[in-house]
Amino acid sequence: MTIKLRNGLSGVSRGIDYNGLKRFRESSNQEYRQSFMEEFQKGLEEGHLQPGQFSIRRLWEALVENGREMVDSWHPENQGSSRVRLEEAGGATMSADFTSINGQIVYAAVLEAWNNPNFIHPDLVEDIQTPFSGEKIAGIGNLGDVSQVVREGDPYPTATVSPEYIETPQTTKRGFLVPVTKEAIFFDRTGLLLQRVKDVTQSMLISKEKRCLDMVLGVTSSYRRNGSAAQTTYATSHTNGDFSNLKTSNGLVDYTNIEAAELMFDAISDPNTGEPVMIDRTNMQLLVPRALEYVAAYVQNKTNQIHRGIDQGGGAATFLTKTTGQNPLKNMYSIISNAYVYLRGSSNTSWWIGDFKRAFKYRQNWPITPVTIPASSHEEIHNDIVQNTKISEMGTPSCENPWYVLKNTA
């Protein structure tokens, strides 16, 4: 099957139209080049073009002037010939188109690896863009019931935010370099290059998963209020804004355990206003280890049967009616789980309930970002590197409103 895109670019199941890429390089029409790049990016985003379809060697030959001759010059039989000087003549500007196109291919591979459905932190922690590393966030609470009667002709009172504040942790940067070497191009190691990109991305994804779950499960503590030291995320009391979000002796067995946790929310007041914390059930989730995943599903889906037994009294036996009722939960909560919940939390019996994204944030300076650049002359000469891709992200998980999630222990 051939996939036709505008500007003569086509992707096929067994290859790519490299002549179209060569025409892109040779064109001096900036409008055409910009339109070509937009269509190329769209093809990758929509899946019409796949990173694994491309040959890195053929990309180099099509997108670098004298690229084929340059690759030939790397062959051992041609070392020392005058053709090697083609490499020196090109320099970084010679491979600009190769860098642009290959950068888009790498970006598509990074996103494919990053959007892995087996990782659960995107369901639990909200990503928040920030230009800061560590913040003091004031006025996080609601105003509460402060409305006043305004008499005729009187000015309206001014609403003020709470003087309370929390402090978030400093952000940290993580990343790797993935180089493209002469050998990768000469031997056409496209698959190996893309696998390295995906492995690096997977490594960074695992790091974010573990750091976020450590915060959500209460393994690490970052909740700092009004200048106090970091407090335990889950406790029966908290200083500087007292509330209890830890319920003991409440192992997950049936709907009554979930009901007990819900009723505990009613006893929590907003630390800023004293008003009850209102939980929207449509955003509520159950976070459980694998050992409780089927239990949680069973609790939400089984039919409740209430057996009243036989009343023998003082005379003839009377059979009481057996009552069968609809489960009051019936898929009310989404269930979230993977192997890391136990590995990071070290418990097969604890479980969590609440509106996780209101409680936990991931404050990031920038998301996972690949940047592809031509290699420096030093790298080219000493390491045979012709291009580098830097994959990085910078951020940190932050516990900001812990009263929206409850931890339950058996």
Side-chain angles (χ1 to χ4, degrees):
M1 178 181 69
T2 301
I3 303 164
K4 290 292 184 182
L5 303 174
R6 293 193 301 271
N7 302 319
L9 177 64
S10 65
V12 294
S13 59
R14 295 186 179 179
I16 298 293
D17 179 10
Y18 293 98
N19 288 328
L21 294 173
K22 186 176 180 180
R23 289 192 295 273
F24 160 73
R25 172 179 63 82
E26 294 174 341
S27 175
S28 59
N29 185 322
Q30 291 304 313
E31 183 178 348
Y32 164 78
R33 288 172 61 84
Q34 181 178 350
S35 178
F36 183 97
M37 282 300 300
E38 290 174 354
E39 190 69 11
F40 187 81
Q41 293 169 7
K42 182 180 178 181
L44 287 168
E45 290 171 0
E46 296 180 353
H48 303 309
L49 301 172
Q50 298 291 332
Q53 287 180 299
F54 292 87
S55 159
I56 193 169
R57 175 168 177 162
R58 297 196 65 186
L59 281 176
W60 181 270
E61 292 173 349
L63 294 169
V64 176
E65 188 176 356
N66 298 317
R68 179 170 297 179
E69 291 83 353
M70 192 180 297
V71 173
D72 288 343
S73 75
W74 295 340
H75 195 283
E77 294 180 357
N78 295 324
Q79 292 299 309
S81 72
S82 60
R83 284 193 296 175
V84 177
R85 286 196 293 272
L86 286 169
E87 194 174 346
E88 299 173 0
T93 57
M94 197 173 190
S95 60
D97 290 331
F98 174 79
T99 298
S100 298
I101 294 292
N102 195 48
Q104 290 300 319
I105 295 169
V106 168
Y107 182 70
V110 167
L111 289 186
E112 181 182 331
W114 188 257
N115 296 322
N116 188 328
N118 294 316
F119 292 82
I120 60 176
H121 70 265
D123 296 321
L124 301 170
V125 179
E126 181 184 9
D127 286 340
I128 301 290
Q129 289 295 128
T130 177
F132 306 108
S133 178
E135 301 176 65
K136 182 181 288 187
I137 303 175
I140 59 173
N142 298 317
L143 293 174
D145 183 8
V146 295
S147 62
Q148 300 178 24
V149 174
V150 181
R151 298 179 183 277
E152 182 180 353
D154 286 353
Y156 283 86
T158 300
T160 58
V161 297
S162 168
E164 310 288 336
Y165 67 90
I166 63 166
E167 295 174 81
T168 65
Q170 291 189 335
T171 56
T172 55
K173 180 172 63 178
R174 288 169 170 79
F176 294 91
L177 289 176
V178 181
V180 176
T181 62
K182 284 184 182 179
E183 290 87 348
I185 295 173
F186 183 77
F187 295 110
D188 201 5
R189 293 172 176 164
T190 310
L192 179 60
L193 174 64
L194 291 178
Q195 189 58 51
R196 283 177 179 168
V197 167
K198 291 180 179 181
D199 288 345
V200 163
T201 304
Q202 179 90 343
S203 173
M204 296 176 65
L205 183 59
I206 289 172
S207 171
K208 186 175 181 181
E209 178 87 346
K210 291 161 70 173
R211 287 181 290 125
C212 287
L213 279 179
D214 284 353
M215 182 69 61
V216 170
L217 300 176
V219 178
T220 59
S221 303
S222 75
Y223 176 58
R224 298 184 60 194
R225 184 178 175 82
N226 296 336
S228 65
Q231 303 180 47
T232 302
T233 305
Y234 303 103
T236 55
S237 65
H238 290 78
T239 59
N240 211 333
D242 187 34
F243 60 92
S244 173
N245 63 349
L246 174 63
K247 188 165 185 61
T248 59
S249 302
N250 193 37
L252 187 57
V253 178
D254 58 30
Y255 80 91
T256 61
N257 303 115
I258 294 178
E259 180 184 41
E262 285 188 349
L263 292 174
M264 191 172 175
F265 276 117
D266 290 348
I268 299 178
S269 299
D270 186 302
N272 298 327
T273 66
E275 298 295 328
V277 172
M278 305 297 287
I279 302 293
D280 184 354
R281 271 200 175 126
T282 59
N283 296 325
M284 295 275 278
Q285 298 165 307
L286 294 177
L287 175 63
V288 299
R290 286 288 197 197
L292 290 180
E293 190 172 11
Y294 290 119
V295 174
Y298 174 73
V299 166
Q300 285 208 100
N301 288 286
K302 74 170 183 176
T303 300
N304 296 308
Q305 293 183 335
I306 305 172
H307 299 273
R308 298 299 183 185
I310 301 174
D311 181 11
Q312 292 182 319
T318 301
F319 290 88
L320 299 181
T321 303
K322 179 180 75 173
T323 303
T324 300
Q326 181 70 36
N327 189 333
L329 294 176
K330 200 58 180 176
N331 295 321
M332 186 177 294
Y333 301 116
S334 59
I335 300 170
I336 301 175
S337 181
N338 71 5
Y340 281 108
V341 177
Y342 169 73
L343 291 175
R344 307 309 293 179
S346 302
S347 173
N348 272 327
T349 57
S350 295
W351 56 284
W352 295 257
I353 184 173
D355 187 344
F356 289 86
K357 287 191 175 183
R358 292 190 72 178
F360 304 103
K361 314 293 181 182
Y362 190 83
R363 298 208 166 255
Q364 63 182 17
N365 302 122
W366 62 81
I368 187 76
T369 305
V371 178
T372 302
I373 56 174
S376 66
S377 59
H378 182 276
E379 290 173 317
E380 287 189 75
I381 293 172
H382 294 278
N383 303 98
D384 281 341
I385 293 173
V386 298
Q387 186 186 82
N388 252 319
T389 296
K390 177 180 67 179
I391 302 174
S392 69
E393 71 95 16
M394 188 169 184
T396 189
S398 174
C399 176
E400 301 186 11
N401 304 295
W403 48 86
Y404 284 108
V405 175
L406 296 179
K407 179 180 180 180
N408 299 266
T409 61

